Amino acid sequence: MPAPEWPASLPQVFQSNGFRMTTLDNRIFSRNEVGPPNVRPRASGRYRNVTGRMLFTAAQRDTFWDFYYDDLASGSLSFDLPDPYDPEVEVIRVRYSKDGPPSEETDGADNWFIAMSLDVMP
Amino acid sequence: MRTISLSTRQALNAQETSAIPIFLFTIDHESLAEVIRLSTDPTERLQDYPEIYGTTSRGNDFTFMPINMILPDDEDQTPPSFRVSFDNVLRDLIPTIRSISTPPSVTVEMVMASDPDTVETEWPNFDMVNVEYDANTVTVDLVIDSLVHEPYPYGTFTPSGFGGLF
């Protein structure tokens, strides 16, 4: 069973304003009585978080929420998203993080900004 | 004395290292349809969607599950025992544990992420006892059936059985 894909009719890139890609700390430190702590990776894999917002039209906004609630079971399921750094070539598997569901705001015209926080699956 | 490879021993004692130790659990019981294999590391994606992470070692897939454990001591006079806590995320373990009435056998092996097919050390054939669970975690003890506490010999001359001797 393939993973849901980010709809092609929706924006494929994040707004540069506010975009952030964070690498989650995967290190474990073992303290010694004296001197610096020992350090090693806690687990395999790369753990990253993507935070940003996209600009939607009103029609796209409806499509997005249908995708979120119906295809992703209210954000519980992972999906394939165009890579923020290379959206035309690469795809990354992401899932909405426990930071919270997407939030939206509008400027009164047909512009809807939806902010979201995603965990990139290793 | 447990023997582990020189490279692993160097990594465990190093001030900084890229080595990642992985603990593999193999849970077996006669009433289980399949052996349960668990890993402490999401080494690779075993299934693309829905995602299942785990470790492949010697041809077997060990499913990743967040596990906390206390390793056994190396005491001469005390049988070794683990205290292991599994995250009860999928709720799969509880129905399985409740379906069996005798302790399942558990083998714990340590491998390195860089070479998952080589077992550095193992603790074979422990019994899973004292299972406690709630919505978040399943906590078990892994013990060796200690025969040192069994009475020997089987038969003894006691006043209750051989009154004429006393």
Side-chain angles (χ1 to χ4, degrees), chain A residues 14-15 17-20 50-54 114-118:
Chain A
F14 285 91
Q15 297 281 298
N17 183 22
F19 173 80
R20 186 170 58 195
V50 175
T51 303
R53 62 179 194 168
M54 294 181 176
I114 297 181
M116 57 192 80
S117 177
L118 304 164

Side-chain angles (χ1 to χ4, degrees), chain A residues 1-4 32 36-45 47 71 77-79 93 95 121-122, chain B residues 12-22 40-45 48-51 53 64 113:
Chain A
M1 176 171 127
N32 299 315
N38 297 347
V39 59
R40 67 168 174 85
R42 180 184 291 275
S44 308
Y47 301 93
D71 295 350
L77 303 179
S78 58
F79 62 99
R93 180 70 53 82
R95 186 174 61 193
M121 309 297 284
Chain B
L12 293 176
N13 292 315
Q15 188 169 355
E16 56 187 50
T17 178
S18 61
I20 303 172
I22 302 173
T40 58
D41 185 68
T43 313
E44 58 182 314
R45 195 183 292 180
D48 185 61
Y49 190 80
E51 298 88 13
Y53 294 90
F64 166 67

Side-chain angles (χ1 to χ4, degrees), chain B residues 3 6 9 27 36 42 44-45 49-50 58 67 69 76 84 88 94 106-107 112 116-117 121 125 140-141 144:
Chain B
T3 302
L6 175 62
R9 204 167 337 125
I27 304 172
I36 299 173
E44 58 182 314
R45 195 183 292 180
Y49 190 80
R58 292 154 291 160
I67 296 173
M69 58 187 236
D76 288 337
V84 183
N88 194 17
I94 300 304
V106 181
T107 295
M112 305 305 287
D117 292 328
T121 187
N125 300 326
V140 304
D141 287 332
I144 290 279

Side-chain angles (χ1 to χ4, degrees), chain A residues 4-24:
Chain A
E5 295 181 356
W6 181 257
S9 61
L10 297 183
Q12 301 295 298
V13 294
F14 285 91
Q15 297 281 298
S16 59
N17 183 22
F19 173 80
R20 186 170 58 195
M21 173 83 81
T22 307
T23 296
L24 304 179

Side-chain angles (χ1 to χ4, degrees), chain A residues 11-84:
Chain A
Q12 301 295 298
V13 294
F14 285 91
Q15 297 281 298
S16 59
N17 183 22
F19 173 80
R20 186 170 58 195
M21 173 83 81
T22 307
T23 296
L24 304 179
D25 196 356
N26 186 37
R27 300 170 297 171
I28 184 169
F29 293 86
S30 301
R31 297 183 63 179
N32 299 315
E33 286 191 11
V34 293
N38 297 347
V39 59
R40 67 168 174 85
R42 180 184 291 275
S44 308
R46 300 180 179 182
Y47 301 93
R48 296 176 293 166
N49 175 267
V50 175
T51 303
R53 62 179 194 168
M54 294 181 176
L55 176 60
F56 295 76
T57 63
Q60 290 176 326
R61 168 185 172 270
D62 294 338
T63 301
F64 169 78
W65 287 116
D66 289 340
F67 175 70
Y68 177 81
Y69 282 111
D70 298 335
D71 295 350
L72 303 184
S74 302
S76 300
L77 303 179
S78 58
F79 62 99
D80 288 335
L81 178 76
D83 190 326

